[in-house]
């Protein structure tokens, strides 16, 4: 028994499912792994993968139609999450995507890797009192894996974005190991947390990009309401310059505002009659109060896809394949590469592996 990451050769062979444009894959490679196989159903995502992972076997297909897979030390993937999302229809029983975890489980059962890492939205933990999450944990446990899970917020690990995601890590029971998640490195320092770095500023992350990148963000041409619908104006869409950004979403219409935009203020609210509010733009710029030298947008705009990529911690040269809307979809669906790197470094190095001398009861994994 040891806390060493058990691999079958010199390199760590990684099989990636539901790979998207490679957010998790970039993190895997930065942590020292080698992605040998990737899969996604979206053609543009697979073209992006081919662009940045030329030596990887990339399959643009429905995963259910793929029957054979290479041997691997670890299987990773973020199966589609819309049916569990707090922003989605939130009725998983009626959404076929709810059962995509079974395809992930099927591949794990075929490949029998020593480890697996699955990612989903944090809403999976809350829906139906956690029954959908419990179903998955039990399935992985019955397949022969010690499983632990935790909701991680990307901002706690140096990503300039507040983004909560649930990760499930499984380890083959015969290895007598269990995974403990990395502790936050960023946030407010307390006696219990120790010394932490301050949260990363999303304004600073994107400050060197063009202030008005024509064609790289969503606008509503020829619309009498202007560029922002009533729904968009029903909440505050502007995070402070010095703070992490709000979550980067996959729908370019709902992307939040550039931090150099004017502040939004609540102009009326009638929450007793549903969730009805109205926010409007003011003439205030909170980011200039701290530093008058910062850039300023006279007209508010949504973040560009290039800015979203930097906020997600993709490399500054990262350019996904496809039209502008497709770029937003790929970037918004991705796991932040920096968060993935932290997680996989913690696993590959053995720092997150704890030796156990007996089977872990399933209820102990539900933190």
């Amino acid at each position: 028994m040891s806390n060493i990451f058990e691999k079958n050769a010199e390199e760590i062979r990684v099989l990636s499912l539901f790979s998207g444009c490679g957010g998790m894959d970039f993190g895997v490679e930065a942590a020292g792994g080698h992605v040998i196989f990737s899969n996604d159903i979206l053609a543009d995502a697979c073209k992006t993968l081919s662009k940045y992972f030329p030596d990887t076997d990339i399959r643009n297909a429905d995963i259910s139609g793929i029957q054979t897979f290479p041997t691997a030390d670890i299987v990773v993937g973020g199966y589609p999450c819309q049916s569990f999302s707090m922003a989605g229809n939130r009725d998983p029983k009626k959404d076929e995507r709810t059962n995509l975890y079974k395809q992930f489980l099927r591949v794990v059962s075929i490949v029998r890797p020593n480890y697996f890492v699955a990612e989903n939205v944090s809403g999976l933990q809350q829906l139906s009192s956690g029954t959908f999450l419990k179903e998955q944990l039990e399935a992985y446990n019955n397949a022969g894996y010690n499983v632990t899970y935790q909701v991680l917020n990307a901002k706690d690990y140096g990503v300039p974005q507040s983004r909560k995601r649930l990760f499930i890590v499984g380890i083959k029971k015969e290895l007598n190991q269990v995974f403990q998640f990395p502790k936050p490195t960023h946030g407010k320092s307390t006696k219990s947390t120790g010394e932490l770095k301050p949260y990363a500023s999303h304004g600073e992350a994107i400050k060197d990009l063009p202030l008005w990148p024509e064609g790289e963000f969503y606008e509503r041409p020829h619309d009498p309401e202007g560029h922002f619908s009533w729904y968009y104006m029903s909440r505050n869409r502007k995070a402070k310059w010095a703070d992490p950004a709000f979550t980067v979403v996959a729908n370019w219409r709902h992307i939040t505002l550039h931090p150099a935009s004017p502040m939004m203020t609540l102009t009326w609210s009638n929450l007793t009659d549903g969730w009805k509010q109205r926010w409007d733009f003011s003439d205030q710029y909170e980011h200039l109060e701290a530093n008058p030298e910062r850039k300023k947008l006279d007209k508010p705009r949504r973040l560009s896809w290039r800015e979203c990529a930097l906020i997600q911690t993709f490399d500054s040269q990262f350019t996904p394949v496809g039209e502008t809307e497709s770029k937003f979809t790929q970037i918004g669906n991705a796991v932040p590469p920096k968060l993935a790197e932290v997680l996989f470094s913690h696993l590959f190095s053995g720092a997150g592996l704890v030796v156990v001398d007996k089977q872990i009861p399933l209820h102990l994994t539900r933190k």
Side-chain angles (χ1 to χ4, degrees), residues 211-212 238-241 258-265 281-301:
L211 196 58
W212 197 268
K238 182 186 177 299
K240 293 181 179 179
W241 178 286
H258 190 287
S261 297
M263 292 175 63
M264 297 185 80
T265 56
F281 296 108
S282 71
D283 58 0
Q284 294 178 283
Y285 293 84
E286 53 80 24
H287 69 294
L288 298 182
E289 295 171 9
N291 183 355
E293 300 300 316
R294 287 171 175 163
K295 295 177 180 179
K296 165 188 161 184
L297 278 166
D298 293 322
K299 289 199 312 181
R301 69 164 174 86

Side-chain angles (χ1 to χ4, degrees), residues 37-253:
F37 178 102
S38 291
N39 157 259
D40 201 88
I41 199 168
L42 296 178
D44 280 351
C46 287
K47 290 175 183 175
T48 301
L49 290 171
S50 296
K51 179 177 176 180
Y52 291 101
F53 300 90
D55 299 327
T56 300
D57 180 3
I58 297 164
R59 306 287 184 88
N60 177 207
D62 185 330
I63 187 62
S64 63
I66 304 176
Q67 304 302 322
T68 59
F69 302 88
T71 59
D73 300 302
I74 179 169
V75 172
V76 307
Y79 27 90
C81 58
Q82 288 90 338
S83 56
F84 302 121
S85 172
M86 293 294 102
N89 59 36
R90 291 160 62 173
D91 193 356
K93 291 180 181 178
K94 296 180 181 178
D95 195 323
E96 62 184 14
R97 292 169 297 188
T98 298
N99 289 319
L100 280 175
Y101 87 87
K102 293 179 181 178
Q103 289 298 326
F104 186 87
L105 176 63
R106 177 181 71 88
V107 177
V108 166
S109 300
I110 293 171
V111 178
R112 299 301 300 165
N114 288 334
Y115 308 85
F116 72 78
V117 174
E119 176 262 354
N120 215 298
V121 293
S122 59
L124 174 61
Q125 189 177 20
Q126 293 136 16
L127 277 178
S128 301
S129 301
T131 55
F132 291 104
L133 173 58
K134 184 180 179 183
E135 176 185 322
Q136 295 185 27
L137 295 175
E138 289 178 343
Y140 294 133
N141 181 68
N142 293 337
Y145 289 84
N146 289 330
V147 288
T148 51
Y149 74 90
Q150 191 166 318
V151 172
L152 303 182
N153 194 328
K155 71 178 183 180
D156 294 336
Y157 300 91
V159 177
Q161 174 192 184
S162 180
R163 187 184 189 91
K164 291 183 179 180
R165 289 296 183 269
L166 184 141
F167 290 87
I168 302 171
V169 179
I171 303 177
K172 200 180 283 184
K173 289 180 179 178
E174 49 261 45
L175 294 180
N176 299 308
Q177 296 174 338
V178 67
F179 184 71
Q180 285 188 343
F181 286 83
K183 293 180 179 179
T185 54
H186 293 65
K188 294 181 179 179
S189 299
T190 65
K191 286 184 179 179
S192 60
T193 63
E195 193 67 28
L196 296 176
K197 298 177 183 177
Y199 287 132
S201 159
H202 78 295
E204 292 301 306
I206 64 175
K207 67 179 182 180
D208 294 328
L209 291 177
L211 196 58
W212 197 268
E214 198 70 47
E216 292 191 2
F217 58 93
Y218 178 75
E219 295 183 277
R220 289 157 51 102
H222 315 302
D223 194 297
E225 277 194 274
H227 295 303
F228 305 103
S229 69
W230 67 266
Y231 177 77
Y232 194 90
M233 302 301 290
S234 69
R235 69 182 78 172
N236 179 27
R237 303 279 183 167
K238 182 186 177 299
K240 293 181 179 179
W241 178 286
D243 292 346
F246 297 137
T247 301
V248 172
V249 296
N251 186 327
W252 68 334
R253 294 176 178 84

